[in-house]
Amino acid sequence: VQLQASGGGSVQPGGSLKLSCTVSERTPRTSAVAWFRQAPGREREFVGGMTWTGGMRYYADSVKGRSTISIDDAKNTVSLQVNGLKSEDSAVYYCASGLTLSNFSTWGQGTQVTVSS
């Protein structure tokens, strides 16, 4: 299983970004897909996640209300859109997959998000 993350970049405060994570194959090990982020000097933190079945979406309090997770079944792609970006959203964002949203076995490469004026 491989995860390919894309969509990072530089954006001004208040802007939006859409990050995408493409899963190479749908297996039990990719039942759940989530986004994490890690800023310099800080621990990695959960941002949002979903399961392919059930349609459930989960968001961290830090992005709740300004983030949306969407799915493209045909492309095995999970996307995270974050609006109203703040400087504290700057981090390397990673996607991960696993059996559940508390058990991740595969990680994609990170994609940098920089929010700055």
Side-chain angles (χ1 to χ4, degrees), residues 9 13-14 22 25 27 36-37 43 46 52 57-58 63 70 72 74 76 79 85 88 91 97 99 102 106 108 112 116:
T22 300
E25 57 183 305
T27 73
F36 291 78
R37 67 186 182 188
E43 293 187 356
F46 173 82
W52 294 102
R57 310 282 195 271
Y58 302 91
V63 299
S70 59
D72 185 333
N76 287 347
S79 296
L85 284 162
E88 51 263 43
S97 70
L99 288 170
S102 59
T106 304
Q112 178 72 48
S116 174

Side-chain angles (χ1 to χ4, degrees), residues 60-77:
D61 288 343
S62 58
V63 299
K64 192 175 296 181
R66 58 189 182 95
S67 296
T68 303
I69 292 174
S70 59
I71 297 173
D72 185 333
D73 268 315
K75 297 181 179 180
N76 287 347
T77 297

Side-chain angles (χ1 to χ4, degrees), residues 14-18 63 65-68 81-86 89:
S16 300
L17 272 180
K18 187 174 185 178
V63 299
R66 58 189 182 95
S67 296
T68 303
Q81 174 148 349
V82 184
N83 303 315
L85 284 162
K86 311 171 185 179
D89 292 318

Side-chain angles (χ1 to χ4, degrees), residues 6-71:
S6 62
S10 296
V11 64
Q12 292 187 341
S16 300
L17 272 180
K18 187 174 185 178
L19 307 178
S20 294
C21 178
T22 300
V23 179
S24 61
E25 57 183 305
R26 297 272 290 271
T27 73
R29 292 174 59 194
T30 59
S31 295
V33 177
W35 286 95
F36 291 78
R37 67 186 182 188
Q38 187 167 22
R42 303 192 65 176
E43 293 187 356
R44 184 173 59 196
E45 63 174 354
F46 173 82
V47 179
M50 50 68 70
T51 55
W52 294 102
T53 59
M56 298 300 295
R57 310 282 195 271
Y58 302 91
Y59 302 93
D61 288 343
S62 58
V63 299
K64 192 175 296 181
R66 58 189 182 95
S67 296
T68 303
I69 292 174
S70 59
I71 297 173

Side-chain angles (χ1 to χ4, degrees), residues 7-11 17 19 85 87 89-93 111-115:
S10 296
V11 64
L17 272 180
L19 307 178
L85 284 162
S87 58
D89 292 318
S90 295
V92 177
Y93 284 68
T111 184
Q112 178 72 48
V113 172
T114 302
V115 183

